[in-house]
Amino acid sequence: MAFTQEEIVDGLAEIVNEIAGIPTEDVQLDKSFTDDLDVDSLSMVEVVVAAEERFDVKIPDEDVKNLKTVGDAADYIAQHQVSKA
Amino acid sequence: MSPTNRTVVVTGIGATTPLGGDAASTWEGLMAGRSGVKPLEGERFAELPVRIAAPAAVDPGDVLPRPLARKLDRSAQFALIAAREAWADAGYTGKAGEDDKVQPNRLGAVIASGIGGVTTLLDQYDVLKEKGVRRVSPHTVPMLMPNGPSANVGLEVNAQAGVHTPVSACASGAEAIGYAVEMIRTGRADVVVAGGTEAAIHPLPIAAFANMMAMSKSNDEPQKASRPYDTGRDGFVLGEGAGVVVLESAEHAAARGARVYCEVVGQGLSADAHHIAQPEPTGRGIAVAMQNLIDDSGLKPSEIVHLNAHATSTPQGDVAEIKALRRVLGDDLDHVAISATKSMTGHLLGGAGGIETVATVLALHHRTAPPTINVDDLDTDVDADIVRDKPRALPEGTIAAINNSFGFGGHNVVLAFRTV
């Protein structure tokens, strides 16, 4: 079964907390990784790799640049996760 | 005054060492004659011929926030901690520009290490082999590059006059401080944060140094293992940590009313051109560096009352250094109280010049020479006054002290400091 959007956002919040030290409650859909969450381009690679493992998705490098906000990432993961029927 | 002979002073100090997490606790440890050497526990060290080292007394992971620490090699973590302490100790309250007492384009940083981010390199290679390409940290290159500690300290204080990293093995930290002095003398900067750092307690560097026959194998008596000048010395003990100073032109320090620890009289440099790793046994190159210091700085041998020796506890090196000193200073060596603080801290490689500069500055400041521990049976070839077991008071009046650092490759760096 797939992860719900809530599970994805909660998971991203934990990942961002681990990598950038931002409190999980501050990691909201409209937040920009770079501008709001102190995730620079190198740390974004860490976020992506951690998200890939956690949600069993592949996020190619060329798609990472489109993931500006937590909402962008959550939508991408929801659309690309492998359905575990 | 021309910009090429400006007086340079020390206005701040910081350290994190096997004896303590800051300069004050390190100094207390030195005064108490305490050894920071411990057994290396854990399976990964079990098969090594050397199973002792001097780890930092305070783990940097307990000091820095985790999101910051995970992006820094351990050597950069130490450097940042020591630099923050030194910067605050110098009386600065924010980055250059935020604190308007120093402008970014007049501030430099010169932090060096002997072997850079070696543990990051080795750990990430383990990640590559065990977990695959995708898991190699994107922070690996900035973490392993030898200029990483200097660059991170430069970012911390907003240094824009220049950020540099001289590398000369175990002379690196001292060379960094000498480089910083020149930046100020030549007018490139008014203030420079300078020092050395090292974090190499890992099975590979230990195996490699041990196979060079450079390290003590006194695994059963860790606290007695580092024993410079003793007849039983059998090599150095690896230590980790950092020592950093804030250097300023005397005018700049005076203009902002800064507390001044001492003057940096100058440096003497030379190279042995003898062997890639062995010390030149007569101390020829060291003597040249000492003589260059005296010729260039006008330091009078009669002023020198204290030496923080390189003395790593190797059979050849400790004696070669003393021979060189005697050759240059003659009878003036008799009034030099010599301390080998590596007997307590172990050898921090590129960090040594940093923490030993901090120790030398504090020795002048407190007018007290730290002891050399574990000299149970003084080598008869050591024809000099070694401060043994207990600290010793230094004379009143204007006094000077020397800090020696030498590195694999035949690099010799001699730094001199004087009370003001």
Side-chain angles (χ1 to χ4, degrees):
Chain A
M1 60 174 260
F3 293 96
T4 66
Q5 200 205 32
E6 188 182 352
E7 287 170 336
I8 292 169
V9 174
D10 288 352
L12 287 171
E14 285 176 25
I15 289 167
V16 170
N17 173 258
E18 167 71 20
I19 289 167
I22 302 294
T24 51
E25 60 269 26
D26 292 350
V27 182
Q28 306 281 347
L29 287 176
D30 62 337
K31 298 289 185 186
S32 156
F33 287 107
T34 309
D35 298 336
D36 301 321
L37 301 176
D38 206 20
V39 176
D40 65 14
S41 60
L42 296 184
S43 294
M44 189 64 196
V45 178
E46 290 188 287
V47 170
V48 165
V49 172
E52 285 183 336
E53 294 212 335
R54 183 162 185 143
F55 302 116
D56 196 19
V57 289
K58 286 273 170 279
I59 309 176
D61 289 348
E62 57 270 26
D63 289 346
V64 172
K65 64 179 183 298
N66 299 322
L67 308 181
K68 306 283 190 208
T69 66
V70 175
D72 294 340
D75 290 347
Y76 187 96
I77 291 164
Q79 288 160 19
H80 292 82
Q81 61 187 328
V82 179
S83 183
K84 291 180 186 165
Chain B
M1 183 174 285
S2 85
T4 53
N5 61 0
R6 302 202 299 175
T7 300
V8 178
V9 296
V10 180
T11 57
I13 56 172
T16 180
T17 74
L19 300 180
D22 58 17
S25 56
T26 296
W27 181 250
E28 276 173 35
L30 292 174
M31 288 296 98
R34 193 152 48 77
S35 169
V37 183
K38 294 174 177 161
L40 287 169
E41 311 287 356
E43 197 184 335
R44 67 184 194 146
F45 297 109
E47 298 302 315
L48 295 174
V50 172
R51 298 181 299 281
I52 51 174
V58 176
D59 194 90
D62 295 339
V63 179
L64 298 174
R66 199 174 41 156
L68 175 61
R70 69 202 305 279
K71 293 193 278 191
L72 299 176
D73 181 76
R74 193 171 170 86
S75 63
Q77 295 174 6
F78 288 135
L80 191 60
I81 290 166
R84 284 177 171 179
E85 184 192 358
W87 191 242
D89 186 52
Y92 289 108
T93 55
K95 291 171 187 272
E98 288 172 20
D99 182 334
D100 64 9
K101 292 195 177 69
V102 60
Q103 294 311 308
N105 64 358
R106 301 301 302 159
L107 173 66
V110 191
I111 309 285
S113 80
I115 49 181
V118 62
T119 57
T120 291
L121 179 64
L122 294 166
D123 290 347
Q124 290 299 317
Y125 187 53
D126 289 343
V127 170
L128 175 66
K129 285 183 297 180
E130 291 161 16
K131 297 179 178 168
V133 173
R134 191 69 173 157
R135 293 290 294 277
V136 170
S137 170
H139 302 292
T140 301
V141 169
M143 287 171 74
L144 71 82
M145 62 191 196
N147 54 315
S150 207
N152 278 289
V153 168
L155 283 167
E156 176 75 10
V157 295
N158 196 17
Q160 297 183 20
V163 173
H164 305 281
T165 309
V167 176
S168 49
C170 304
S172 301
E175 193 167 345
I177 292 166
Y179 192 101
V181 169
E182 292 308 313
M183 283 181 78
I184 296 171
R185 288 228 164 112
T186 57
R188 282 184 59 204
D190 294 323
V191 184
V192 182
V193 182
T197 187
E198 203 73 69
I201 300 178
H202 178 288
L204 184 85
I206 292 175
F209 280 120
N211 287 351
M212 296 177 82
M213 313 292 278
M215 293 183 109
S216 171
K217 296 186 176 70
S218 299
N219 295 309
D220 298 333
E221 286 189 298
Q223 306 217 325
K224 302 283 280 180
S226 186
R227 44 194 319 123
Y229 309 126
D230 184 84
T231 51
R233 66 191 186 277
D234 66 337
F236 76 86
V237 176
L238 183 61
E240 64 170 5
V244 172
V245 291
V246 175
L247 304 179
E248 295 192 49
S249 74
E251 308 97 289
H252 193 271
R256 68 182 186 94
R259 176 261 332 270
V260 171
Y261 283 99
C262 62
E263 174 191 354
V264 189
V265 184
Q267 64 173 334
L269 304 172
S270 74
D272 284 349
H274 167 73
H275 187 274
I276 195 65
Q278 283 167 9
E280 197 284 321
T282 69
R284 166 177 52 77
I286 299 168
V288 170
M290 276 291 299
Q291 193 62 54
N292 286 342
L293 165 73
I294 290 167
D295 293 346
D296 293 349
S297 70
L299 177 71
K300 296 196 262 317
S302 61
E303 295 176 300
I304 306 168
V305 299
H306 172 55
L307 167 78
N308 191 307
H310 182 62
T312 61
S313 184
T314 62
Q316 267 201 326
D318 293 9
V319 169
E321 181 179 11
I322 296 293
K323 284 182 184 167
L325 291 163
R326 179 62 75 184
R327 189 184 313 172
V328 177
L329 297 177
D331 291 345
D332 279 308
L333 183 60
D334 294 337
H335 55 72
V336 180
I338 299 177
S339 305
T341 50
K342 289 186 182 80
S343 62
M344 294 169 278
T345 63
H347 185 6
L348 276 72
L349 310 180
I355 69 161
E356 286 155 25
T357 288
V358 169
T360 307
V361 168
L362 284 173
L364 286 177
H365 183 67
H366 295 299
R367 292 185 186 265
T368 307
T372 306
I373 65 168
N374 297 327
V375 190
D376 296 339
D377 181 25
L378 183 66
D379 188 328
T380 52
D381 284 341
V382 178
D383 171 28
D385 181 10
I386 309 300
V387 181
R388 292 164 69 172
D389 302 326
K390 288 184 179 141
R392 188 190 302 170
L394 296 173
E396 294 302 309
T398 300
I399 55 173
I402 305 278
N403 173 25
N404 281 349
S405 293
F406 316 128
F408 281 173
H411 314 277
N412 304 306
V413 181
V414 181
L415 298 172
F417 305 86
R418 182 163 53 203
T419 55
V420 290

